[in-house]
Amino acid sequence: MSERKQLKIAMIGSGSIARAHSNAFHQVGHFFEVPYGLNLQVVCGRNQEKLHAFASQWGWAETAADWQEVVGRKDLDVIDIAVPNALHAPIAMAAAAAGKILFCEKPLALSLAEAQTMAAAGKAVPNLVWFNYRRVPAVAFAKQLITEGKLGRIYHYRSYYFNQSGVDPTKGQTWRYRASEAGSGAIGDLLSHSIDMAIYLNGNLEDLSAMKHTFIPGREVDDAVSVMAHFANGSLGTFEASRFGVGRRNGIGFEVYGQKGSLAFDLEDMNHVRFCDATEPANLQAYRNILVTGPEHPYWTNFWKPGHLVGYEHTFIATLGDFLHNLARGDPFHPSFDDGVRTQAVLEAVDTSAAAKNWIRLQSE
Amino acid sequence: MSERKQLKIAMIGSGSIARAHSNAFHQVGHFFEVPYGLNLQVVCGRNQEKLHAFASQWGWAETAADWQEVVGRKDLDVIDIAVPNALHAPIAMAAAAAGKILFCEKPLALSLAEAQTMAAAGKAVPNLVWFNYRRVPAVAFAKQLITEGKLGRIYHYRSYYFNQSGVDPTKGQTWRYRASEAGSGAIGDLLSHSIDMAIYLNGNLEDLSAMKHTFIPGREVDDAVSVMAHFANGSLGTFEASRFGVGRRNGIGFEVYGQKGSLAFDLEDMNHVRFCDATEPANLQAYRNILVTGPEHPYWTNFWKPGHLVGYEHTFIATLGDFLHNLARGDPFHPSFDDGVRTQAVLEAVDTSAAAKNWIRLQSE
Amino acid sequence: MSERKQLKIAMIGSGSIARAHSNAFHQVGHFFEVPYGLNLQVVCGRNQEKLHAFASQWGWAETAADWQEVVGRKDLDVIDIAVPNALHAPIAMAAAAAGKILFCEKPLALSLAEAQTMAAAGKAVPNLVWFNYRRVPAVAFAKQLITEGKLGRIYHYRSYYFNQSGVDPTKGQTWRYRASEAGSGAIGDLLSHSIDMAIYLNGNLEDLSAMKHTFIPGREVDDAVSVMAHFANGSLGTFEASRFGVGRRNGIGFEVYGQKGSLAFDLEDMNHVRFCDATEPANLQAYRNILVTGPEHPYWTNFWKPGHLVGYEHTFIATLGDFLHNLARGDPFHPSFDDGVRTQAVLEAVDTSAAAKNWIRLQSE
Amino acid sequence: MSERKQLKIAMIGSGSIARAHSNAFHQVGHFFEVPYGLNLQVVCGRNQEKLHAFASQWGWAETAADWQEVVGRKDLDVIDIAVPNALHAPIAMAAAAAGKILFCEKPLALSLAEAQTMAAAGKAVPNLVWFNYRRVPAVAFAKQLITEGKLGRIYHYRSYYFNQSGVDPTKGQTWRYRASEAGSGAIGDLLSHSIDMAIYLNGNLEDLSAMKHTFIPGREVDDAVSVMAHFANGSLGTFEASRFGVGRRNGIGFEVYGQKGSLAFDLEDMNHVRFCDATEPANLQAYRNILVTGPEHPYWTNFWKPGHLVGYEHTFIATLGDFLHNLARGDPFHPSFDDGVRTQAVLEAVDTSAAAKNWIRLQSE
C-alpha cells in the first residue's frame, strides 16, 4: 500500500534491547493493520564496527555516531531511545524540541524531576515508554478481567521481579551498576516494570514504605528492594525486586486477590494466566490455568492460531501496533511519558523511604 | 457406644500393605460414623519374631502362624487377605466357606477362572477388594463430575501407572517377580488398579489389543504393558503400566476427554483434580486445578478442615468406612469380588492379546 | 510392650484442632518407636453433649467440664492446651505449677510478656508448642538442605500465608475475631506459623517494619499483615499473611534464595519441595520438584512406602514422635515454650511497628 | 552484505501456515548468520483479492494464480509448498524437475508410494519438510540430552497430540476433513508430527499395532488414532493423536523413560523441558523444569537474552536457519524428503494396521 504515510525511524542505541526494538519495527506491519510504513532509517551508536554489523543484520539503512546530529535531521520522524538511563533526558529533550515522535526505554529518567521535565517537553509530541510487559497478551487479559469486575473489590496486589543477574560479583562493570548512568539498580531496572504494571492493573498508590539493600560491597546501586503500600482503591500492595533471585531468570509476576476472585501471572510462563472465580459453586472453585491464545483473547487475531504461543518480542510488537493505531486516530496512548512520570514518582518515593526508613505519602495528581 | 456390634478381624499377612490395613481398622471410627466396633484380634504370618513386633506396633491382640487355623476360628467375623496373590484364592475360599466377611487385596486372583470361583463362593458373604484408589477423594470427585454429565459424551479415556520399582535387576527376588506367586508383573500389580478405576469411571471395555514386555532377561513376569481398547460407551481407551518409569514413584493417573469437558488426575498430586469445563465462555476455558478438600467434596466432612490435605492411608479408611456403612444398611458395596472378576477378565484378555498379538473381544455380562 | 511407661493425657478443648491432637495421640505409636504408652484419659470442654460425642469418636476415656479440676488431678501426666489463645496462659501456668508436661497450641500467648511468664514457668517441665508445620516432611527436608549448605549464603527469605477465611463478613462471630480471646487476627492465627518456620529455617530477625489492615469495618482484629525484615544472617525477609486471599485455602509457603541455590514450599502441595541447585552445569539449572517420600527423606521410614503421600495430620504425629523420643533421652525439644516466646516477640514487634508505622529493632537474646 | 547470494522464493499457498513461512523468510536473517539474502518474490493462490492483501501484509513482491507457471519460471530458486496435502506431490515433482530448492509442508504426501516418488525426484535438489517441532529449542535440548546418554538405555517413549479442532461437527467442511485432499485426518495432521519427533529422538520403529476412529458420522477421515510400537533400540512406544482432546489447544508432547533418567515436553509450555536425572543422590532425584532459554541451550545465541521466551514462529525460523547454513556448507539437512518418507511409512503402517486390526512390521531400510 504505497499510499501509507512513511515514518522514518532513528534508533539511538544498539544493545540487546535495540534488537527487540528493531524486530518490532520490522514485524508490526505483519501482525497489525498499521496505517504507516516504517523505515528503519538510521541506527546510532559508539562502536562503529559493531554498529555496522548490527545495521546489516537488522536492516537499518544508515549508521551514525552522533545522536545530536541524528536528532537534528529534518528527514526523520521518530527518535527511539535505547541507551543507558542517564542519556534518556538529553536525547528526549532535544528530540522533543525538534518535534520528533518519541519512544523511550524504561525507566523514563534518573529522577522524578527529570522525568517531569521530559514529560512537559514531550507534551507537544506523540510519545511512548517501552513498558512492554503491559502488552503480554496474558497481562492484557488480566487487565480485562479486572476491568470487567471479575475480581470485584481488590484486597491484595502482590508483585515480584526476580532474576539472578547480580550474583556474580565480577559482573558489576556494566552501566547498569554505575549510579551515574543507571541512577539505581533493581529499583529502576526491575521494580519500574512492576510499578508500571501495578498502576495499569490496580491504579495509583497512596503511600509506601520500602527497604533496599546492596549485597556486594562497593556496588553503587541497590541489588534488591521491597515495598509495602496502600493503593488508592483500598487494597494492600507488596513489591519485591532483586537481582539475587538465584534460580529465576526473568521472573516478573503478580497476584491479585479480590472479593470475587483472584488471578496470577508469571513471565516465565508468559502465555498463561491463572484465574480463580470465587462466584462459582464452591466445589469447582480453583485456579484455572488459561492459555491466553484464543481468538477471544487480546492480540490473538494479530498473532498465530489458537494454542500457538508467542514469545518475548511480541510485547514490543503489540506496544508499537497499538501506538501506531492510536496515532492514526489521534487517540492518546499509554504508557506515555506521563505514565513514565507516574512510575518515576513511585520509584523516587521508594528510594526516599528506604533511605529514611519511614512511610512516604505519594502526591495525588 | 458400647452397644455397637463388635467385629473381630483377622488379618492374614504382615507386609507393607498390612500396615495400611491395620491403620484403616484403627482409624475408620475416628472419621466415619461406623455402626461397628472393630477389634484387631489376630494377625497371621510366617516370621513370628517380625510378627510380634508388627502386632505390638499396630495393636493386634494375638498373632498366629497358620491361616487355616485362623480361618477356622468361630470367634472371628472378618478375614482380611493381605498376602501374595497366589494365596488369595485358597484363603478366600476357606473363609467364605466359614461364613466370614471377606476383605482381599488386589488383584483378586491369579486368573479369571480362579476369580470367578472366588466370587461365586463369596456371594454368600459380604466382601470387598482393596482397590483403594477409587476412594481417593479427588477420584471420587472425578466420578461425581462424570456422573453429573459435566463431561458429556466421553471420547477418550487415557490411563497410566508408572513406577521405577523394576529397574534394579537385583530386585527381582521378591514374590512380586515370581510367576507362581504373583501370576503377572505390571499387569496384576499396576494395571489392575488402572482397570478397576477405568471401569468405575468410564464403564466396561468391549475389546482390546495389548503388548507386554520384560526388560530384564530371565525375569518371569512382565515389566511393562500397554493396551488400546474400546469402551462400551463408544470412547477410546489407552492404558500403560510399567515398573520402568524412571522418575515416577507411584504415578498412577488418568485423563478423560468428553464433549463438554475433560479432567485429569495423578496420584503424586492426589488432593487435586484438573477439570476443564468446555461449556464456559471460550476465553475462560482452561484446566482448573481443584484442591479437593472442601466440605462440598467427597469425604471431607469425614477428614480435616478445608485446605488440609489427606494422604495415601485415607484411601483405605474411606473404603472401609463405606463398606461398613453399607454393611449396616444391607446395601451392596463396590468394589466387591464381582468387581474384582470384572477387572480380572480384562487382565486376562490383556495377557492373551499380548501373547497372541491380536484384538480380543470381552464378553459382555 | 507392657513395660513402657504410660503417659496419661488430658486435653483441654474439643474443637477442630483437638481432632488433630487426638489423632496424633492415637497414631504416634504406629509410626514412631515411642518409649511411652499414651492414654487418652480425659478431654475437657464446655458443651457436654458435644464433648461426649467427641470423646466417643476419638476414644477419650473420660470427659470433664472444669479445666482447673483436670489440671489438679494427680493421675495425669500431660496437659494439652487446645483452646482459644486467651486461655493458654492460665492453663499453662496452673499445669506447670502442677508439674505437668505441657503441650500448647500456637500462638503461645496474647502478648510477649504473657509468653515470657509462661516460658519461665514452663522451664521446670517438658513442653511443646504445636507449630506443627516445621515437621511437614518437605519442610524438614528444606531445613536439611539449608543446614547442609546447599543454598550457601542466604539472600532472600520470602513467606506468605493466605486463606480466604475472613471474606465472609458474617463469619466474624467466632473467638478468632474477638480481640479479648484471640489477641490478634491474621498475625496470631497465620503469621505466627510463618515466623516460627522462618526462625527455624533462617534464624532470628534483627529488625522489621510492618503494616496491618482490617477490611471489614467493626472487626476487632487484623485481617491482613505484611512485614519487611532483616535477618541476623544478613538476608532480607518479607512476610505476608491474610484471611482475604480469595482462592487460597490453606496457602502457607516460603521461598529461600541463596548463593548456591534456592528452594520453595507450599502447603497446598505439601509433599513436594522445589529446589534449584545453582552449582550444577548452567544448562541443567532449574527447579526440581522433589516428592519428599523417599526413604532418604525425613520421616519416611516412619510413614509409608516411597511415593505414597502423607497429609495434614502427619505434621502433628511427627511433632509428637520427636517430642517423646527426646523426652525419653532427656534431650531438648523444639519448638518449645522458649521458641514460642521467640515468635511472640516478633509478633509483638509486628503489631507495634504497624501501629507506629516505623521500623522496630528486635532485642537480641 | 550485498555480496550474499540472493535466493528468490515462491510460496504456493496463502493460508495460516503460509503466514508462519513468510515470517520465517523475513526473520531468519535477523537471528541467524545466513549466507543468503532471501527475496520473497511471489506468492501463489486462488483467491486473488485475499492474495493481494496477504502479499501486501507479508511483503511478497508479486502474486500469481497458477502454480505451474510459477514453478516454470527461470528466475526463482525456491518453491515452498504450503497447500493441502494432495497438491504436495504434483508441485514437488514439477519443481524438482525444474531444479528448484524444495520446501514442503507436512505430511510429505498422501501415501508412502507418493512420498517415495517425491523423495526420488527430490534427490537432485536440496529439500526440507516443515516438521518444525524438531526445532523447538526445548525439543532440540531434549535430543541433546538423549544423545549425550543422559537417559541411558531407553525403556519407554510416550507420545501424544491432542487438540479439540474436530469436536464441532459443522467444522468438517475444510480440506482437512476431505479424504481426497488430506488423505487422512488426525494421522496426517497430528500423528505425523509425533512420528517425526519420535524418529528424531528415539530412532526407527520396528513394528506397530494401531486403532483409529471417527466420532462424527459421515466424516471421511479419522478423528483419532492410537498406536503401540516397538522401537529398534528395544524401547516400547505408545502414540495417541486426536482432534477430540477437549481442553487441549495444541497439545503435542512426549515422555521418554530411560535407565539413567527421564524427560518430558509439552508444546503448550514450549520453553521448558522436564528432566529427571536418576544418577543423582536419591533424595534429590526429581523432575526439574528447565527453562530452555540460556546461552548454553540450543538456539539461544540466536534469539533473546536468558529468561526471555520464544514462541511458535521460532520453530520455523530455526528450521530455515539450519537449512540455509547447511546448504551453504553442502551438508545434508534433516528433516529432508527422505525423512518425510520415513514418517510416511509409519503413517501408512498405522493406517493399514488399524484397518486390518493386526500388527505390522516396518521394513528396515
Side-chain angles (χ1 to χ4, degrees):
Chain A
M1 300 195 194
S2 54
E3 70 277 20
R4 289 188 306 181
K5 177 163 170 30
Q6 300 297 307
L7 293 179
K8 286 196 174 168
I9 303 172
M11 180 170 69
I12 319 299
S14 62
S16 70
I17 203 71
R19 297 176 77 227
H21 292 199
S22 302
N23 185 75
F25 297 140
H26 279 293
Q27 290 285 71
V28 66
H30 296 147
F31 296 109
F32 286 78
E33 294 288 336
V34 291
Y36 302 95
L38 300 190
N39 297 348
L40 288 75
Q41 192 60 41
V42 53
V43 57
C44 178
R46 275 179 282 203
N47 181 325
Q48 295 306 303
E49 193 177 350
K50 278 193 183 168
L51 194 63
H52 278 112
F54 184 95
S56 168
Q57 184 168 16
W58 285 99
W60 289 90
E62 307 170 45
T63 60
D66 179 348
W67 66 258
Q68 274 132 323
E69 199 176 305
V70 168
V71 170
R73 279 169 55 166
K74 299 287 184 213
D75 65 318
L76 299 169
D77 302 294
V78 178
I79 301 297
D80 180 34
I81 304 170
V83 287
N85 305 345
L87 282 169
H88 291 188
I91 299 174
M93 298 303 290
K100 307 301 190 193
I101 296 170
L102 289 179
F103 299 166
C104 188
E105 258 304 318
K106 45 59 59 177
L108 184 56
L110 294 180
S111 69
L112 176 56
E114 195 179 75
Q116 286 167 328
T117 307
M118 291 166 73
K123 286 235 179 297
V125 291
N127 57 63
L128 167 164
V129 183
W130 287 111
F131 282 120
N132 56 307
Y133 291 141
R134 286 191 182 200
R135 283 178 173 86
V136 174
V139 173
F141 184 55
K143 168 71 174 172
Q144 187 180 308
L145 292 175
I146 293 170
T147 302
E148 288 172 358
K150 291 274 189 197
L151 267 55
R153 174 185 169 192
I154 306 299
Y155 297 128
H156 291 285
Y157 185 92
R158 307 184 74 218
S159 169
Y160 58 87
Y161 199 158
F162 283 94
N163 68 28
Q164 56 187 23
S165 62
V167 175
D168 183 344
T170 66
K171 278 258 181 79
Q173 309 309 319
T174 71
W175 69 269
R176 291 188 183 279
Y177 293 88
R178 285 193 288 272
S180 61
E181 287 185 74
S184 65
I187 293 175
D189 187 17
L190 306 181
L191 184 66
S192 63
H193 270 302
S194 298
I195 296 295
D196 179 71
M197 277 212 285
I199 295 173
Y200 170 60
L201 293 167
N202 199 40
N204 285 329
L205 286 74
E206 277 194 342
D207 62 5
L208 61 81
S209 177
M211 73 173 170
K212 62 177 184 176
H213 193 75
T214 303
F215 289 106
I216 305 284
R219 208 169 257 183
E220 298 174 4
V221 295
D222 55 291
D223 287 326
V225 60
S226 295
V227 185
M228 305 186 302
H230 296 93
F231 281 87
N233 67 4
S235 61
L236 307 182
T238 58
F239 297 83
E240 196 159 7
S242 175
R243 290 167 168 170
F244 280 68
V246 170
R248 300 303 308 268
R249 306 309 161 109
N250 193 26
I252 182 170
F254 55 80
E255 300 170 15
V256 194
Y257 296 91
Q259 189 173 11
K260 293 184 180 173
S262 52
L263 56 77
F265 168 79
D266 188 298
L267 190 68
E268 290 186 9
D269 185 22
M270 68 177 273
N271 289 272
H272 286 94
V273 156
R274 299 198 314 125
F275 169 57
C276 173
D277 183 345
T279 67
E280 294 187 313
N283 63 349
L284 295 177
Q285 285 179 28
Y287 283 97
R288 64 187 77 189
N289 196 25
I290 304 174
L291 184 59
V292 187
T293 62
E296 315 78 11
H297 293 133
Y299 299 112
W300 285 92
T301 51
N302 300 104
F303 300 137
W304 307 110
K305 287 197 300 181
H308 292 68
L309 279 62
V310 295
Y312 167 67
E313 70 224 63
H314 287 264
T315 60
F316 292 92
I317 297 170
T319 301
L320 186 59
D322 285 352
F323 176 86
L324 293 173
H325 182 261
N326 287 17
L327 180 65
R329 299 162 54 118
D331 288 345
F333 172 82
H334 299 283
S336 64
F337 277 28
D338 283 341
D339 295 303
V341 170
R342 217 164 268 124
T343 287
Q344 202 83 40
V346 176
L347 301 183
E348 188 144 305
V350 165
D351 206 59
T352 307
S353 166
K357 306 199 102 192
N358 61 6
W359 281 80
I360 301 272
R361 175 156 290 274
L362 289 153
Q363 301 215 321
S364 58
E365 298 166 44
Chain B
M1 300 196 196
S2 53
E3 70 277 26
R4 290 187 306 180
K5 176 163 171 30
Q6 299 297 306
L7 293 179
K8 286 196 172 167
I9 304 172
M11 179 170 69
I12 320 299
S14 62
S16 69
I17 204 71
R19 297 176 76 228
H21 291 199
S22 301
N23 185 74
F25 298 141
H26 279 293
Q27 289 286 70
V28 66
H30 297 149
F31 296 109
F32 286 78
E33 294 288 337
V34 291
Y36 302 94
L38 300 191
N39 297 346
L40 287 75
Q41 193 60 40
V42 52
V43 57
C44 178
R46 273 179 284 201
N47 179 326
Q48 296 306 302
E49 192 177 350
K50 279 193 185 169
L51 194 63
H52 278 111
F54 184 95
S56 168
Q57 183 167 18
W58 285 99
W60 289 91
E62 309 170 44
T63 60
D66 179 346
W67 67 258
Q68 274 134 321
E69 199 176 306
V70 168
V71 170
R73 278 170 53 167
K74 298 286 185 215
D75 64 318
L76 298 170
D77 302 292
V78 178
I79 301 296
D80 179 34
I81 305 170
V83 287
N85 305 345
L87 282 169
H88 291 187
I91 299 174
M93 298 303 290
K100 307 301 190 194
I101 296 171
L102 289 179
F103 298 165
C104 187
E105 257 306 318
K106 44 60 55 179
L108 185 56
L110 293 180
S111 70
L112 175 56
E114 196 180 75
Q116 286 168 328
T117 308
M118 290 166 74
K123 286 236 178 299
V125 291
N127 58 63
L128 166 164
V129 183
W130 287 110
F131 282 119
N132 56 307
Y133 292 141
R134 286 192 184 200
R135 283 178 172 85
V136 174
V139 174
F141 184 57
K143 168 71 173 172
Q144 187 179 311
L145 292 175
I146 293 170
T147 303
E148 288 171 357
K150 291 274 189 196
L151 267 55
R153 176 186 167 191
I154 306 299
Y155 297 128
H156 291 284
Y157 186 92
R158 306 184 75 218
S159 169
Y160 58 87
Y161 199 158
F162 283 94
N163 68 27
Q164 57 187 22
S165 62
V167 175
D168 184 345
T170 65
K171 278 259 181 77
Q173 308 309 317
T174 71
W175 69 267
R176 291 187 184 279
Y177 294 88
R178 285 193 289 273
S180 60
E181 288 185 74
S184 64
I187 293 176
D189 186 17
L190 306 181
L191 185 65
S192 63
H193 270 303
S194 299
I195 296 295
D196 178 70
M197 277 212 284
I199 294 173
Y200 170 59
L201 293 167
N202 199 39
N204 285 330
L205 285 74
E206 276 194 343
D207 63 4
L208 62 81
S209 177
M211 74 172 172
K212 64 177 184 177
H213 193 75
T214 303
F215 289 105
I216 304 285
R219 207 169 259 182
E220 298 175 2
V221 296
D222 54 291
D223 287 325
V225 60
S226 296
V227 185
M228 305 185 301
H230 296 93
F231 282 88
N233 67 4
S235 61
L236 308 182
T238 58
F239 298 84
E240 195 158 6
S242 175
R243 291 166 167 172
F244 280 68
V246 170
R248 301 303 308 268
R249 306 307 162 112
N250 193 25
I252 182 169
F254 56 78
E255 300 169 16
V256 194
Y257 295 91
Q259 190 173 10
K260 294 184 180 174
S262 52
L263 55 77
F265 169 80
D266 189 298
L267 190 68
E268 290 185 8
D269 186 22
M270 68 178 274
N271 289 271
H272 286 95
V273 155
R274 298 197 316 124
F275 169 57
C276 173
D277 182 344
T279 67
E280 293 187 313
N283 64 348
L284 295 177
Q285 285 178 30
Y287 283 96
R288 64 186 78 189
N289 196 24
I290 304 174
L291 184 59
V292 187
T293 62
E296 315 78 9
H297 293 134
Y299 298 114
W300 285 93
T301 51
N302 300 104
F303 300 137
W304 306 110
K305 286 197 301 181
H308 293 68
L309 278 62
V310 295
Y312 168 67
E313 69 220 64
H314 289 264
T315 60
F316 292 92
I317 297 169
T319 300
L320 186 59
D322 285 351
F323 175 87
L324 294 173
H325 182 261
N326 287 16
L327 180 66
R329 299 161 54 117
D331 287 345
F333 172 83
H334 300 282
S336 65
F337 277 27
D338 283 342
D339 296 302
V341 169
R342 217 164 268 123
T343 287
Q344 201 84 38
V346 176
L347 300 183
E348 188 144 307
V350 165
D351 206 59
T352 307
S353 168
K357 306 199 98 188
N358 60 7
W359 282 80
I360 302 271
R361 176 156 288 275
L362 289 152
Q363 301 216 321
S364 57
E365 297 165 46
Chain C
M1 301 193 195
S2 53
E3 71 276 23
R4 289 187 306 179
K5 175 164 171 32
Q6 300 296 308
L7 293 179
K8 286 197 174 170
I9 304 172
M11 179 171 69
I12 319 298
S14 63
S16 67
I17 203 71
R19 297 176 75 226
H21 292 198
S22 301
N23 185 75
F25 297 141
H26 279 294
Q27 290 284 72
V28 66
H30 297 147
F31 296 108
F32 285 77
E33 294 288 337
V34 291
Y36 301 95
L38 300 190
N39 297 348
L40 287 75
Q41 192 61 40
V42 53
V43 56
C44 177
R46 275 180 283 203
N47 181 323
Q48 295 306 303
E49 193 176 352
K50 279 192 184 168
L51 194 64
H52 279 111
F54 183 95
S56 167
Q57 185 169 15
W58 286 99
W60 289 91
E62 309 170 45
T63 61
D66 179 347
W67 67 259
Q68 274 132 323
E69 199 175 305
V70 168
V71 170
R73 278 170 56 166
K74 300 284 186 217
D75 64 319
L76 299 170
D77 303 293
V78 177
I79 302 295
D80 179 34
I81 305 171
V83 288
N85 306 346
L87 282 169
H88 292 187
I91 299 174
M93 298 303 291
K100 308 300 190 193
I101 296 171
L102 288 179
F103 298 165
C104 186
E105 258 304 318
K106 43 60 58 179
L108 185 56
L110 294 180
S111 69
L112 175 57
E114 196 179 75
Q116 287 168 329
T117 308
M118 290 166 74
K123 287 235 179 296
V125 291
N127 57 63
L128 165 165
V129 184
W130 287 110
F131 281 119
N132 56 306
Y133 292 141
R134 285 192 184 199
R135 283 179 173 86
V136 175
V139 174
F141 184 55
K143 168 71 172 173
Q144 188 179 309
L145 292 175
I146 292 169
T147 302
E148 288 172 359
K150 291 274 190 195
L151 268 54
R153 175 186 168 190
I154 306 299
Y155 298 128
H156 291 284
Y157 186 92
R158 306 185 74 217
S159 168
Y160 57 86
Y161 199 159
F162 284 94
N163 69 27
Q164 55 186 22
S165 61
V167 175
D168 184 345
T170 66
K171 279 257 181 78
Q173 308 309 318
T174 70
W175 70 267
R176 291 189 183 279
Y177 294 89
R178 284 193 289 273
S180 61
E181 288 186 74
S184 66
I187 293 175
D189 187 16
L190 307 181
L191 185 66
S192 63
H193 270 303
S194 299
I195 296 295
D196 178 70
M197 276 211 285
I199 294 172
Y200 171 59
L201 293 167
N202 200 39
N204 285 329
L205 286 73
E206 277 194 343
D207 62 6
L208 61 81
S209 177
M211 74 173 172
K212 63 177 184 176
H213 193 74
T214 304
F215 288 106
I216 305 284
R219 207 168 257 182
E220 297 174 5
V221 296
D222 54 291
D223 287 327
V225 60
S226 296
V227 185
M228 305 185 301
H230 296 94
F231 281 87
N233 66 4
S235 62
L236 307 182
T238 59
F239 297 84
E240 195 158 6
S242 175
R243 290 166 168 171
F244 280 67
V246 170
R248 300 303 309 268
R249 307 308 161 112
N250 194 26
I252 183 170
F254 56 80
E255 299 168 17
V256 193
Y257 296 91
Q259 189 172 10
K260 294 185 180 172
S262 52
L263 56 78
F265 169 79
D266 188 298
L267 190 67
E268 291 186 7
D269 186 22
M270 67 179 273
N271 289 272
H272 286 95
V273 156
R274 298 198 314 125
F275 169 56
C276 173
D277 182 344
T279 67
E280 292 188 313
N283 64 347
L284 295 177
Q285 285 178 29
Y287 284 98
R288 63 187 78 189
N289 196 25
I290 304 173
L291 184 59
V292 186
T293 62
E296 314 77 9
H297 293 133
Y299 299 114
W300 284 94
T301 51
N302 300 103
F303 300 137
W304 307 110
K305 285 196 301 181
H308 292 69
L309 278 61
V310 295
Y312 168 67
E313 69 225 63
H314 288 264
T315 60
F316 293 92
I317 297 169
T319 301
L320 186 58
D322 285 350
F323 175 87
L324 294 173
H325 182 261
N326 287 15
L327 180 65
R329 299 161 55 116
D331 287 345
F333 173 82
H334 300 283
S336 65
F337 277 26
D338 283 341
D339 295 302
V341 169
R342 217 164 267 123
T343 287
Q344 202 83 39
V346 176
L347 301 183
E348 189 146 302
V350 165
D351 206 59
T352 306
S353 168
K357 306 199 98 188
N358 61 7
W359 282 80
I360 301 271
R361 176 157 289 274
L362 289 152
Q363 302 216 320
S364 58
E365 297 165 46
Chain D
M1 301 193 197
S2 53
E3 69 278 21
R4 290 188 306 180
K5 178 166 170 28
Q6 300 296 308
L7 294 178
K8 287 196 173 168
I9 304 172
M11 179 171 69
I12 319 298
S14 61
S16 68
I17 202 71
R19 297 176 76 227
H21 292 199
S22 301
N23 185 75
F25 298 141
H26 279 295
Q27 291 284 71
V28 67
H30 296 147
F31 297 109
F32 285 78
E33 294 287 336
V34 291
Y36 301 94
L38 300 189
N39 297 346
L40 288 75
Q41 192 60 42
V42 53
V43 57
C44 177
R46 275 181 282 202
N47 181 325
Q48 295 306 302
E49 193 177 352
K50 279 192 184 168
L51 194 63
H52 278 111
F54 183 95
S56 168
Q57 184 168 18
W58 286 98
W60 289 91
E62 308 169 45
T63 61
D66 179 349
W67 67 259
Q68 275 133 323
E69 200 175 304
V70 168
V71 169
R73 280 170 54 166
K74 299 288 185 213
D75 63 319
L76 299 169
D77 302 294
V78 177
I79 302 296
D80 179 34
I81 304 171
V83 288
N85 305 346
L87 283 169
H88 291 188
I91 299 175
M93 297 303 289
K100 307 301 189 192
I101 296 170
L102 289 178
F103 298 166
C104 187
E105 259 304 317
K106 42 60 58 179
L108 185 56
L110 294 180
S111 69
L112 175 57
E114 196 180 76
Q116 287 168 329
T117 307
M118 290 166 74
K123 287 234 179 298
V125 292
N127 57 63
L128 165 165
V129 184
W130 287 109
F131 282 119
N132 56 306
Y133 292 140
R134 285 191 183 200
R135 284 178 173 86
V136 175
V139 174
F141 183 56
K143 169 69 175 174
Q144 187 179 311
L145 292 175
I146 294 169
T147 303
E148 287 172 358
K150 291 274 190 195
L151 267 55
R153 175 185 169 190
I154 306 299
Y155 297 129
H156 291 284
Y157 185 92
R158 307 184 73 218
S159 168
Y160 57 87
Y161 199 159
F162 284 94
N163 68 27
Q164 56 187 23
S165 61
V167 175
D168 183 345
T170 67
K171 278 258 182 77
Q173 308 309 317
T174 70
W175 70 266
R176 291 188 183 279
Y177 294 89
R178 284 192 290 273
S180 62
E181 287 185 74
S184 65
I187 293 174
D189 187 16
L190 306 181
L191 185 65
S192 62
H193 270 302
S194 299
I195 297 296
D196 178 70
M197 277 210 286
I199 295 173
Y200 171 59
L201 293 167
N202 199 39
N204 285 329
L205 287 73
E206 277 194 343
D207 62 5
L208 61 82
S209 178
M211 74 173 170
K212 63 176 184 176
H213 193 76
T214 304
F215 288 106
I216 305 284
R219 207 168 258 183
E220 297 175 3
V221 295
D222 55 290
D223 287 325
V225 61
S226 296
V227 184
M228 306 185 302
H230 297 92
F231 281 86
N233 67 3
S235 62
L236 307 182
T238 60
F239 297 83
E240 195 157 7
S242 175
R243 291 167 167 170
F244 280 67
V246 170
R248 301 303 309 267
R249 307 308 161 111
N250 194 26
I252 183 170
F254 55 80
E255 300 168 16
V256 193
Y257 296 92
Q259 189 172 9
K260 294 185 179 171
S262 53
L263 56 78
F265 169 79
D266 188 299
L267 191 67
E268 291 186 7
D269 186 22
M270 67 179 274
N271 289 272
H272 286 94
V273 156
R274 298 198 314 124
F275 168 58
C276 173
D277 182 344
T279 67
E280 293 187 312
N283 64 348
L284 295 177
Q285 285 178 30
Y287 283 97
R288 63 187 78 189
N289 196 24
I290 304 173
L291 183 59
V292 187
T293 62
E296 315 77 10
H297 294 133
Y299 298 114
W300 284 94
T301 51
N302 300 105
F303 300 139
W304 307 111
K305 286 196 300 180
H308 292 69
L309 278 62
V310 296
Y312 168 66
E313 70 222 63
H314 289 264
T315 59
F316 292 92
I317 297 170
T319 301
L320 186 58
D322 285 352
F323 175 87
L324 294 173
H325 182 261
N326 287 16
L327 181 64
R329 299 160 55 117
D331 287 346
F333 172 82
H334 301 282
S336 65
F337 277 27
D338 283 340
D339 295 302
V341 169
R342 218 164 266 124
T343 286
Q344 202 82 41
V346 176
L347 301 183
E348 187 145 305
V350 165
D351 206 59
T352 306
S353 167
K357 307 198 100 193
N358 61 7
W359 282 79
I360 302 273
R361 176 157 289 275
L362 288 153
Q363 302 215 321
S364 58
E365 297 166 44

